Amino acid sequence: ETGVTQSPTHLIKTRGQQVTLRCSSQSGHNTVSWYQQALGQGPQFIFQYYREEENGRGNFPPRFSGLQFPNYSSELNVNALELDDSALYLCASSSTGGNTIYFGEGSWLTVV
Amino acid sequence: DQQVKQNSPSLSVQEGRISILNCDYTNSMFDYFLWYKKYPAEGPTFLISISSIKDKNEDGRFTVFLNKSAKHLSLHIVPSQPGDSAVYFCAARPSGGTSYGKLTFGQGTILTVHP
């Protein structure tokens, strides 16, 4: 039990639609990062949020966006969904100066 | 450009023996390394980590070794148990004040421990 919770756990969307995934970070953790894990691959860093601002971004297009709220929870939004967006989306939380990053169970997104 | 590589897609070991999982990296800016274990349909679970100022860290049955000059790290599991069967990911984090959550992962190694 990492204390990082994600919702929904599974969802199916149609190409072109938009999706919002949610994450509640572990208590006391002020940094949230999002990852995309395609089948058979390692997780790929999407972006990180620290104190409600994006702080670092991986190689993902602008249609991937996010928010972090004052309670450190976070959202990942993906617009104009493509078939290749089908993946497991992982949220991770960590604290300033902390060395361990804890992951949630993930949200499985299928785009049809 | 794959900055973290796990060149063995799979490893099969007998229960009670040692499992050795390897990981290579290319980015000299990485200064903290983590190993995660992942079961299907679950998120990665943190196992053990090591800072670049050390060459070994041990936690129970798990030991991580770091060879900075070779840019290589390995995870040793002794003794291996059937419950260790999972996908193991090596991850690296760059130095920098707010890089806490910016991990670069390898492709993973599927470990199977046979009874």
Side-chain angles (χ1 to χ4, degrees):
Chain A
E1 184 62 46
T2 65
V4 181
T5 57
Q6 293 186 240
S7 63
T9 53
H10 294 82
L11 70 166
I12 300 173
K13 289 286 188 177
T14 303
R15 189 171 49 182
Q17 284 187 316
Q18 178 265 345
V19 68
T20 297
L21 307 177
R22 294 178 176 83
C23 173
S24 177
S25 61
Q26 187 178 99
S27 177
H29 283 187
N30 56 11
T31 302
V32 173
S33 45
W34 286 91
Y35 290 80
Q36 180 196 67
Q37 185 178 14
L39 212 57
Q41 302 292 320
Q44 298 287 315
F45 174 72
I46 302 174
F47 45 55
Q48 172 181 283
Y49 275 81
Y50 172 67
R51 292 186 175 178
E52 303 177 51
E53 291 192 1
E54 186 180 298
N55 174 29
R57 188 177 187 95
N59 189 25
F60 282 83
R63 59 189 186 84
F64 286 77
S65 63
L67 284 172
Q68 186 182 29
F69 301 99
N71 66 354
Y72 304 134
S73 65
S74 177
E75 287 183 356
L76 165 66
N77 299 290
V78 187
N79 293 321
L81 284 167
E82 301 176 358
L83 297 179
D84 285 348
D85 295 333
S86 296
L88 175 66
Y89 288 85
L90 295 161
C91 170
S93 76
S94 53
S95 60
T96 306
N99 282 322
T100 303
I101 298 104
Y102 295 97
F103 283 83
E105 298 291 302
S107 294
W108 286 96
L109 171 65
T110 301
V111 183
V112 298
Chain B
D1 176 29
Q2 192 75 27
Q3 297 186 49
V4 177
K5 293 183 182 179
Q6 294 176 255
N7 291 317
S8 298
S10 62
L11 175 67
S12 183
V13 171
Q14 205 68 30
E15 181 180 5
R17 306 295 290 269
I18 184 171
S19 295
I20 300 176
L21 297 108
N22 294 302
C23 178
D24 297 294
Y25 63 96
T26 57
N27 190 338
S28 300
M29 294 300 292
F30 290 145
D31 73 346
Y32 198 77
F33 304 89
L34 306 91
W35 283 93
Y36 286 86
K37 170 176 156 180
K38 188 177 184 299
Y39 293 116
E42 293 186 10
T45 301
F46 170 75
L47 277 176
I48 193 169
S49 60
I50 188 166
S51 164
S52 60
I53 62 173
K54 294 186 175 182
D55 56 16
K56 177 182 174 182
N57 189 26
E58 194 170 353
D59 184 1
R61 297 186 298 116
F62 302 92
T63 303
V64 57
F65 296 91
L66 174 62
N67 183 333
K68 277 192 70 177
S69 59
K71 293 189 175 67
H72 175 84
L73 62 155
S74 60
L75 174 68
H76 292 210
I77 306 174
V78 184
S80 301
Q81 300 172 353
D84 295 330
S85 298
V87 181
Y88 287 77
F89 290 99
C90 166
R93 189 183 72 193
S95 58
T98 56
S99 300
Y100 312 112
K102 300 176 188 176
L103 299 180
T104 300
F105 281 83
Q107 310 95 306
T109 296
I110 301 171
L111 173 65
T112 304
V113 181
H114 299 283

